[in-house]
mmCIF file of all heavy atoms in Angstrom:
data_model
loop_
_atom_site.group_PDB
_atom_site.id
_atom_site.type_symbol
_atom_site.label_atom_id
_atom_site.label_comp_id
_atom_site.label_asym_id
_atom_site.label_seq_id
_atom_site.Cartn_x
_atom_site.Cartn_y
_atom_site.Cartn_z
ATOM 1 N N VAL A 339 -20.412 33.681 0.764
ATOM 2 C CA VAL A 339 -20.283 34.136 2.149
ATOM 3 C C VAL A 339 -21.471 33.665 2.974
ATOM 4 O O VAL A 339 -21.316 33.204 4.108
ATOM 5 C CB VAL A 339 -20.165 35.674 2.207
ATOM 6 C CG1 VAL A 339 -20.257 36.174 3.648
ATOM 7 C CG2 VAL A 339 -18.851 36.127 1.572
ATOM 8 N N ARG A 340 -22.660 33.759 2.394
ATOM 9 C CA ARG A 340 -23.868 33.376 3.134
ATOM 10 C C ARG A 340 -23.851 31.889 3.492
ATOM 11 O O ARG A 340 -24.238 31.497 4.598
ATOM 12 C CB ARG A 340 -25.106 33.690 2.296
ATOM 13 C CG ARG A 340 -26.409 33.711 3.105
ATOM 14 C CD ARG A 340 -26.411 34.832 4.104
ATOM 15 N NE ARG A 340 -27.591 34.817 4.957
ATOM 16 C CZ ARG A 340 -27.679 35.433 6.114
ATOM 17 N NH1 ARG A 340 -26.639 36.106 6.577
ATOM 18 N NH2 ARG A 340 -28.781 35.407 6.827
ATOM 19 N N VAL A 341 -23.393 31.060 2.553
ATOM 20 C CA VAL A 341 -23.356 29.619 2.797
ATOM 21 C C VAL A 341 -22.294 29.275 3.832
ATOM 22 O O VAL A 341 -22.511 28.441 4.718
ATOM 23 C CB VAL A 341 -23.093 28.851 1.484
ATOM 24 C CG1 VAL A 341 -22.742 27.394 1.766
ATOM 25 C CG2 VAL A 341 -24.316 28.923 0.580
ATOM 26 N N VAL A 342 -21.140 29.920 3.741
ATOM 27 C CA VAL A 342 -20.022 29.566 4.616
ATOM 28 C C VAL A 342 -20.207 30.089 6.031
ATOM 29 O O VAL A 342 -19.996 29.357 7.005
ATOM 30 C CB VAL A 342 -18.691 30.076 4.022
ATOM 31 C CG1 VAL A 342 -17.533 29.809 4.981
ATOM 32 C CG2 VAL A 342 -18.420 29.415 2.681
ATOM 33 N N VAL A 343 -20.567 31.357 6.188
ATOM 34 C CA VAL A 343 -20.610 31.937 7.537
ATOM 35 C C VAL A 343 -21.919 32.627 7.891
ATOM 36 O O VAL A 343 -22.094 33.061 9.045
ATOM 37 C CB VAL A 343 -19.452 32.957 7.725
ATOM 38 C CG1 VAL A 343 -18.112 32.280 7.607
ATOM 39 C CG2 VAL A 343 -19.562 34.108 6.723
ATOM 40 N N GLY A 344 -22.833 32.750 6.921
ATOM 41 C CA GLY A 344 -24.048 33.516 7.193
ATOM 42 C C GLY A 344 -25.098 32.713 7.923
ATOM 43 O O GLY A 344 -25.865 31.979 7.320
ATOM 44 N N ALA A 345 -25.129 32.834 9.238
ATOM 45 C CA ALA A 345 -26.127 32.106 10.025
ATOM 46 C C ALA A 345 -26.261 32.758 11.386
ATOM 47 O O ALA A 345 -25.343 33.434 11.867
ATOM 48 C CB ALA A 345 -25.732 30.644 10.178
ATOM 49 N N GLY A 346 -27.401 32.559 12.004
ATOM 50 C CA GLY A 346 -27.605 33.040 13.366
ATOM 51 C C GLY A 346 -27.424 34.544 13.481
ATOM 52 O O GLY A 346 -28.080 35.335 12.788
ATOM 53 N N GLU A 347 -26.501 34.957 14.352
ATOM 54 C CA GLU A 347 -26.274 36.370 14.613
ATOM 55 C C GLU A 347 -25.526 37.075 13.485
ATOM 56 O O GLU A 347 -25.414 38.294 13.474
ATOM 57 C CB GLU A 347 -25.481 36.535 15.924
ATOM 58 C CG GLU A 347 -26.216 36.050 17.162
ATOM 59 C CD GLU A 347 -27.509 36.820 17.373
ATOM 60 O OE1 GLU A 347 -27.504 38.056 17.177
ATOM 61 O OE2 GLU A 347 -28.537 36.180 17.689
ATOM 62 N N PHE A 348 -24.967 36.291 12.566
ATOM 63 C CA PHE A 348 -24.250 36.887 11.439
ATOM 64 C C PHE A 348 -25.274 37.189 10.357
ATOM 65 O O PHE A 348 -25.601 36.354 9.523
ATOM 66 C CB PHE A 348 -23.175 35.933 10.926
ATOM 67 C CG PHE A 348 -22.114 36.603 10.086
ATOM 68 C CD1 PHE A 348 -21.038 37.232 10.679
ATOM 69 C CD2 PHE A 348 -22.215 36.598 8.706
ATOM 70 C CE1 PHE A 348 -20.062 37.839 9.908
ATOM 71 C CE2 PHE A 348 -21.245 37.203 7.922
ATOM 72 C CZ PHE A 348 -20.162 37.829 8.536
ATOM 73 N N GLY A 349 -25.797 38.405 10.369
ATOM 74 C CA GLY A 349 -26.924 38.758 9.533
ATOM 75 C C GLY A 349 -26.567 39.182 8.121
ATOM 76 O O GLY A 349 -25.424 39.084 7.681
ATOM 77 N N TRP A 350 -27.596 39.694 7.393
ATOM 78 C CA TRP A 350 -27.409 40.052 5.986
ATOM 79 C C TRP A 350 -26.464 41.242 5.827
ATOM 80 O O TRP A 350 -25.668 41.289 4.885
ATOM 81 C CB TRP A 350 -28.764 40.354 5.362
ATOM 82 C CG TRP A 350 -28.674 40.612 3.883
ATOM 83 C CD1 TRP A 350 -28.908 41.768 3.238
ATOM 84 C CD2 TRP A 350 -28.299 39.665 2.876
ATOM 85 N NE1 TRP A 350 -28.707 41.628 1.893
ATOM 86 C CE2 TRP A 350 -28.337 40.337 1.638
ATOM 87 C CE3 TRP A 350 -27.941 38.309 2.901
ATOM 88 C CZ2 TRP A 350 -28.027 39.710 0.431
ATOM 89 C CZ3 TRP A 350 -27.622 37.682 1.703
ATOM 90 C CH2 TRP A 350 -27.663 38.377 0.486
ATOM 91 N N GLU A 351 -26.526 42.211 6.740
ATOM 92 C CA GLU A 351 -25.638 43.368 6.638
ATOM 93 C C GLU A 351 -24.180 42.943 6.755
ATOM 94 O O GLU A 351 -23.318 43.393 5.983
ATOM 95 C CB GLU A 351 -25.969 44.380 7.734
ATOM 96 C CG GLU A 351 -25.104 45.642 7.675
ATOM 97 C CD GLU A 351 -25.440 46.643 8.769
ATOM 98 O OE1 GLU A 351 -26.442 46.434 9.487
ATOM 99 O OE2 GLU A 351 -24.683 47.626 8.921
ATOM 100 N N GLU A 352 -23.887 42.053 7.704
ATOM 101 C CA GLU A 352 -22.523 41.549 7.857
ATOM 102 C C GLU A 352 -22.105 40.716 6.643
ATOM 103 O O GLU A 352 -20.949 40.753 6.216
ATOM 104 C CB GLU A 352 -22.408 40.700 9.122
ATOM 105 C CG GLU A 352 -22.537 41.476 10.424
ATOM 106 C CD GLU A 352 -23.980 41.728 10.825
ATOM 107 O OE1 GLU A 352 -24.889 41.266 10.085
ATOM 108 O OE2 GLU A 352 -24.208 42.391 11.859
ATOM 109 N N THR A 353 -23.077 39.977 6.078
ATOM 110 C CA THR A 353 -22.790 39.180 4.886
ATOM 111 C C THR A 353 -22.361 40.067 3.723
ATOM 112 O O THR A 353 -21.396 39.768 3.003
ATOM 113 C CB THR A 353 -24.030 38.355 4.481
ATOM 114 O OG1 THR A 353 -24.345 37.439 5.533
ATOM 115 C CG2 THR A 353 -23.787 37.595 3.186
ATOM 116 N N ILE A 354 -23.081 41.172 3.518
ATOM 117 C CA ILE A 354 -22.764 42.086 2.416
ATOM 118 C C ILE A 354 -21.381 42.721 2.619
ATOM 119 O O ILE A 354 -20.587 42.821 1.670
ATOM 120 C CB ILE A 354 -23.838 43.184 2.293
ATOM 121 C CG1 ILE A 354 -25.175 42.570 1.867
ATOM 122 C CG2 ILE A 354 -23.398 44.254 1.303
ATOM 123 C CD1 ILE A 354 -25.125 41.866 0.526
ATOM 124 N N LYS A 355 -21.070 43.128 3.841
ATOM 125 C CA LYS A 355 -19.756 43.723 4.100
ATOM 126 C C LYS A 355 -18.638 42.708 3.863
ATOM 127 O O LYS A 355 -17.587 43.045 3.305
ATOM 128 C CB LYS A 355 -19.699 44.246 5.539
ATOM 129 C CG LYS A 355 -20.544 45.492 5.785
ATOM 130 C CD LYS A 355 -20.412 45.976 7.226
ATOM 131 C CE LYS A 355 -21.226 47.233 7.452
ATOM 132 N NZ LYS A 355 -21.133 47.723 8.857
ATOM 133 N N THR A 356 -18.874 41.475 4.275
ATOM 134 C CA THR A 356 -17.879 40.430 4.041
ATOM 135 C C THR A 356 -17.743 40.149 2.549
ATOM 136 O O THR A 356 -16.627 39.963 2.035
ATOM 137 C CB THR A 356 -18.268 39.136 4.773
ATOM 138 O OG1 THR A 356 -18.474 39.410 6.160
ATOM 139 C CG2 THR A 356 -17.176 38.082 4.641
ATOM 140 N N ALA A 357 -18.867 40.131 1.830
ATOM 141 C CA ALA A 357 -18.844 39.882 0.389
ATOM 142 C C ALA A 357 -18.102 41.006 -0.341
ATOM 143 O O ALA A 357 -17.347 40.748 -1.292
ATOM 144 C CB ALA A 357 -20.267 39.751 -0.144
ATOM 145 N N ASP A 358 -18.309 42.246 0.083
ATOM 146 C CA ASP A 358 -17.599 43.371 -0.541
ATOM 147 C C ASP A 358 -16.092 43.266 -0.307
ATOM 148 O O ASP A 358 -15.288 43.538 -1.206
ATOM 149 C CB ASP A 358 -18.120 44.698 0.022
ATOM 150 C CG ASP A 358 -19.543 45.004 -0.435
ATOM 151 O OD1 ASP A 358 -19.979 44.400 -1.436
ATOM 152 O OD2 ASP A 358 -20.212 45.834 0.212
ATOM 153 N N THR A 359 -15.716 42.893 0.909
ATOM 154 C CA THR A 359 -14.291 42.710 1.206
ATOM 155 C C THR A 359 -13.720 41.564 0.386
ATOM 156 O O THR A 359 -12.617 41.664 -0.161
ATOM 157 C CB THR A 359 -14.100 42.423 2.707
ATOM 158 O OG1 THR A 359 -14.735 43.455 3.475
ATOM 159 C CG2 THR A 359 -12.624 42.375 3.067
ATOM 160 N N LEU A 360 -14.484 40.484 0.279
ATOM 161 C CA LEU A 360 -14.056 39.340 -0.516
ATOM 162 C C LEU A 360 -13.883 39.727 -1.983
ATOM 163 O O LEU A 360 -12.965 39.242 -2.658
ATOM 164 C CB LEU A 360 -15.074 38.204 -0.390
ATOM 165 C CG LEU A 360 -14.810 36.943 -1.221
ATOM 166 C CD1 LEU A 360 -13.482 36.296 -0.830
ATOM 167 C CD2 LEU A 360 -15.962 35.944 -1.047
ATOM 168 N N ALA A 361 -14.738 40.615 -2.489
ATOM 169 C CA ALA A 361 -14.647 41.045 -3.895
ATOM 170 C C ALA A 361 -13.291 41.675 -4.180
ATOM 171 O O ALA A 361 -12.669 41.405 -5.218
ATOM 172 C CB ALA A 361 -15.769 42.034 -4.215
ATOM 173 N N PHE A 362 -12.813 42.514 -3.275
ATOM 174 C CA PHE A 362 -11.506 43.143 -3.467
ATOM 175 C C PHE A 362 -10.379 42.108 -3.387
ATOM 176 O O PHE A 362 -9.409 42.172 -4.139
ATOM 177 C CB PHE A 362 -11.284 44.248 -2.441
ATOM 178 C CG PHE A 362 -12.021 45.523 -2.770
ATOM 179 C CD1 PHE A 362 -12.885 46.107 -1.842
ATOM 180 C CD2 PHE A 362 -11.846 46.139 -3.986
ATOM 181 C CE1 PHE A 362 -13.551 47.289 -2.135
ATOM 182 C CE2 PHE A 362 -12.522 47.324 -4.305
ATOM 183 C CZ PHE A 362 -13.374 47.892 -3.372
ATOM 184 N N PHE A 363 -10.494 41.161 -2.478
ATOM 185 C CA PHE A 363 -9.506 40.079 -2.413
ATOM 186 C C PHE A 363 -9.493 39.284 -3.720
ATOM 187 O O PHE A 363 -8.427 38.908 -4.240
ATOM 188 C CB PHE A 363 -9.835 39.114 -1.264
ATOM 189 C CG PHE A 363 -9.321 39.544 0.082
ATOM 190 C CD1 PHE A 363 -10.190 39.686 1.151
ATOM 191 C CD2 PHE A 363 -7.976 39.785 0.288
ATOM 192 C CE1 PHE A 363 -9.725 40.073 2.399
ATOM 193 C CE2 PHE A 363 -7.496 40.164 1.532
ATOM 194 C CZ PHE A 363 -8.375 40.311 2.598
ATOM 195 N N THR A 364 -10.691 39.039 -4.257
ATOM 196 C CA THR A 364 -10.835 38.210 -5.452
ATOM 197 C C THR A 364 -10.070 38.772 -6.642
ATOM 198 O O THR A 364 -9.532 38.019 -7.461
ATOM 199 C CB THR A 364 -12.332 38.077 -5.803
ATOM 200 O OG1 THR A 364 -13.030 37.483 -4.707
ATOM 201 C CG2 THR A 364 -12.534 37.232 -7.042
ATOM 202 N N LEU A 365 -10.010 40.099 -6.746
ATOM 203 C CA LEU A 365 -9.363 40.739 -7.890
ATOM 204 C C LEU A 365 -7.885 40.374 -8.018
ATOM 205 O O LEU A 365 -7.307 40.493 -9.104
ATOM 206 C CB LEU A 365 -9.515 42.261 -7.783
ATOM 207 C CG LEU A 365 -10.951 42.796 -7.838
ATOM 208 C CD1 LEU A 365 -10.966 44.301 -7.627
ATOM 209 C CD2 LEU A 365 -11.609 42.439 -9.172
ATOM 210 N N SER A 366 -7.275 39.930 -6.938
ATOM 211 C CA SER A 366 -5.840 39.608 -6.984
ATOM 212 C C SER A 366 -5.568 38.111 -6.863
ATOM 213 O O SER A 366 -4.446 37.721 -6.566
ATOM 214 C CB SER A 366 -5.097 40.349 -5.867
ATOM 215 O OG SER A 366 -5.482 39.864 -4.595
ATOM 216 N N PHE A 367 -6.571 37.278 -7.113
ATOM 217 C CA PHE A 367 -6.337 35.832 -7.061
ATOM 218 C C PHE A 367 -5.138 35.440 -7.928
ATOM 219 O O PHE A 367 -4.266 34.683 -7.513
ATOM 220 C CB PHE A 367 -7.573 35.070 -7.550
ATOM 221 C CG PHE A 367 -8.623 34.840 -6.488
ATOM 222 C CD1 PHE A 367 -9.826 34.227 -6.810
ATOM 223 C CD2 PHE A 367 -8.410 35.226 -5.168
ATOM 224 C CE1 PHE A 367 -10.799 34.010 -5.845
ATOM 225 C CE2 PHE A 367 -9.373 35.014 -4.195
ATOM 226 C CZ PHE A 367 -10.572 34.405 -4.538
ATOM 227 N N PHE A 368 -5.125 35.968 -9.161
ATOM 228 C CA PHE A 368 -4.051 35.562 -10.088
ATOM 229 C C PHE A 368 -2.698 36.046 -9.597
ATOM 230 O O PHE A 368 -1.687 35.325 -9.704
ATOM 231 C CB PHE A 368 -4.343 36.107 -11.493
ATOM 232 C CG PHE A 368 -3.984 37.554 -11.681
ATOM 233 C CD1 PHE A 368 -2.763 37.913 -12.229
ATOM 234 C CD2 PHE A 368 -4.872 38.557 -11.301
ATOM 235 C CE1 PHE A 368 -2.429 39.249 -12.401
ATOM 236 C CE2 PHE A 368 -4.549 39.890 -11.468
ATOM 237 C CZ PHE A 368 -3.319 40.238 -12.020
#
Side-chain angles (χ1 to χ4, degrees):
V339 171
R340 197 65 184 161
V341 167
V342 175
V343 297
E347 296 299 319
F348 199 84
W350 185 247
E351 181 180 352
E352 291 83 1
T353 297
I354 294 300
K355 289 181 179 179
T356 305
D358 290 341
T359 306
L360 177 61
F362 282 126
F363 276 124
T364 301
L365 297 176
S366 67
F367 275 176
F368 80 96

